[in-house]
Amino acid sequence: MPGISADALRPHAEDAFADELKALAAADDRPRPERWRLSPWAVATYLLGGTLPDGTVITPKYVGPRRVVEVAVTTLATDRALLLLGVPGTAKTWVSEHLAAAVSGDSTLLVQGTAGTAEEAIRYGWDYARLLAHGPSREALVPSPVMRAMAQGMTARVEELTRIPADVQDTLITVLSEKTLPIPELGEEVQAVRGFNLIATANDRDRGVNELSSALRRRFNTVVLPLPATPEDEVDIVARRVDQLGRSLDLPGVPDGTDEIRRVVTVFRELRDGVTADGRTKLKSPSGTLSTAEAISVVTGGLALAAHFGDGVLRAGDVAAGILGAVVRDPVADRLVWQEYLETVVRERDGWKDFYRACREVSV
């Protein structure tokens, strides 16, 4: 609908970063694959950030190894589909959306994978009123996002591929190998036009849920998105995303909260790795993933508390409850892990007394 993007709670990537995409397209003089909006170099620049010759600053969308992004972009320029694999919170969906936005200018051709995803979501469905009235016809057919991407030479996305039932997953085999989608009811097929490709995401923790068949896995080039390599990288990611979310939610501005962000990231990394940052103390890890995405959520919630119910400064008390909720998923086992971490690590750490008190208050 006209004007809806301006009021969207979370605009699509192609809308939120339209100015950057336009500037990249204007400055991009490198060869572009058929129907791509940008060259592979420009797509990588859009994701990783940089400064254009005219001074336009392209903000980083992904903070991580450059080679990972280059391999992902190059894959989309071939006839192989791309599978982004990683633990929860490694920005698989985020990278998938921005790749589609940069390549095709449209990130909305999306199939959201769940245990209830049906074959029609990947192939096509029917308008049953027209089907009953006139029988099978093109007018009665409801194309899936994958079918539309094939017909238009665009990038389709399938989120959480391994959560989709195995028999439904395998409907992608013909699409990815033969680049066609048969419509036996009409005696027709849809052939993919140049520019079509598919990005799927899968969660490392979902292995064994609906494992990909070897036939389907061969149709993908798998790129593993790692966790942030250093605490500094993770702090940078969290700070950037929190700033973006704060502006999109119209949260009142607060002074720099880097110190609290750093403490949240430190807690998450130590519990996730099972060892303190100095390597001296081994820790038990909770059942949750404690991902970067969860750290972003904790800090965003703390930002809202500080702005609306605090003194405008992000403090330990603003993030303590969010950390507790992220760590303690199992009310028995995880609570013991958290209490032990508080008493053996946080309590003894210099400069963390306020954090220890705030966490103790919400943990009682």
Side-chain angles (χ1 to χ4, degrees):
M1 295 177 63
I4 195 169
S5 296
D7 296 324
L9 182 60
R10 186 191 180 282
H12 298 302
E14 58 270 22
D15 297 322
F17 297 93
D19 291 342
E20 292 187 15
L21 290 167
K22 183 178 179 180
L24 272 166
D28 186 14
D29 58 358
R30 304 195 182 201
R32 306 180 189 185
E34 188 75 20
R35 292 187 176 82
W36 278 40
R37 298 294 185 91
L38 301 171
S39 69
W41 170 84
V43 174
T45 301
Y46 170 71
L47 262 79
L48 294 166
T51 302
L52 301 182
D54 64 359
T56 301
V57 175
I58 306 300
T59 58
K61 318 301 179 302
Y62 175 72
V63 178
R66 182 178 188 86
R67 202 60 175 174
V68 167
V69 172
E70 291 175 343
V71 171
V73 174
T74 303
T75 297
L76 294 177
T78 70
D79 64 347
R80 287 178 66 81
L82 172 65
L83 175 62
L84 299 176
L85 185 67
V87 299
T90 47
K92 299 182 295 298
T93 298
W94 181 254
V95 171
S96 167
E97 178 184 0
H98 283 283
L99 280 172
V103 169
S104 297
D106 186 350
S107 63
T108 65
L109 297 174
L110 170 68
V111 176
Q112 179 60 58
T114 70
T117 299
E119 191 174 304
E120 290 80 4
I122 293 176
R123 298 177 72 242
Y124 53 85
W126 297 97
D127 180 334
Y128 286 102
R130 289 185 176 182
L131 183 66
L132 292 172
H134 305 291
S137 65
R138 275 284 185 171
E139 291 72 26
L141 187 143
V142 179
S144 71
V146 175
M147 178 184 277
R148 289 163 53 201
M150 294 176 69
Q152 298 170 25
M154 299 180 73
T155 305
R157 301 165 55 209
V158 179
E159 292 294 320
E160 303 292 354
L161 180 59
T162 50
R163 299 205 66 79
I164 298 175
D167 58 331
V168 179
Q169 290 178 11
D170 285 346
T171 60
L172 285 170
I173 291 177
T174 302
V175 169
L176 298 182
S177 60
E178 305 298 327
K179 309 301 181 187
T180 62
L181 182 55
I183 311 174
E185 296 91 340
L186 302 180
E188 301 178 13
E189 66 179 14
V190 172
Q191 290 190 321
V193 301
R194 293 173 64 89
F196 165 72
N197 213 326
L198 185 139
I199 307 171
T201 66
N203 188 334
D204 264 356
R205 295 291 180 94
D206 285 343
R207 284 180 177 172
V209 176
N210 290 303
E211 191 68 45
L212 299 184
S213 66
S214 59
L216 181 56
R217 186 176 287 276
R218 287 198 306 271
R219 270 67 182 184
F220 285 100
N221 187 31
T222 301
V223 172
V224 178
L225 295 186
L227 289 163
T230 67
E232 290 72 24
D233 284 346
E234 193 158 3
V235 168
D236 183 42
I237 293 168
V238 173
R240 288 179 184 275
R241 285 295 293 137
V242 167
D243 178 62
Q244 291 170 351
L245 288 169
R247 284 187 276 110
S248 69
L249 296 172
D250 292 328
L251 292 176
V254 298
D256 180 58
T258 303
D259 289 343
E260 292 307 326
I261 292 175
R262 190 174 301 280
R263 288 206 277 199
V264 172
V265 167
T266 298
V267 170
F268 277 33
R269 290 181 72 90
E270 290 182 332
L271 288 173
R272 194 167 66 210
D273 297 341
V275 64
T276 53
D278 58 14
R280 295 179 180 177
T281 305
K282 290 188 176 181
L283 305 169
K284 296 176 183 176
S285 294
S287 59
T289 58
L290 299 182
S291 66
T292 306
E294 289 174 295
I296 292 168
S297 178
V298 168
V299 177
T300 303
L303 184 71
L305 280 172
H308 294 302
F309 298 105
D311 59 2
V313 178
L314 186 64
R315 301 183 187 279
D318 300 316
V319 298
I323 291 178
L324 178 66
V327 173
V328 181
R329 299 297 175 84
D330 183 317
V332 178
D334 289 347
R335 188 171 290 277
L336 291 175
V337 171
W338 176 237
Q339 293 290 352
E340 182 177 324
Y341 177 73
L342 276 181
E343 299 301 327
T344 61
V345 178
V346 176
R347 184 178 182 180
E348 305 301 325
R349 185 165 280 164
D350 290 341
W352 282 47
K353 295 300 182 185
D354 59 329
F355 187 82
Y356 171 75
R357 287 193 297 270
C359 290
R360 284 284 297 170
E361 287 177 6
V362 300
S363 299
V364 174

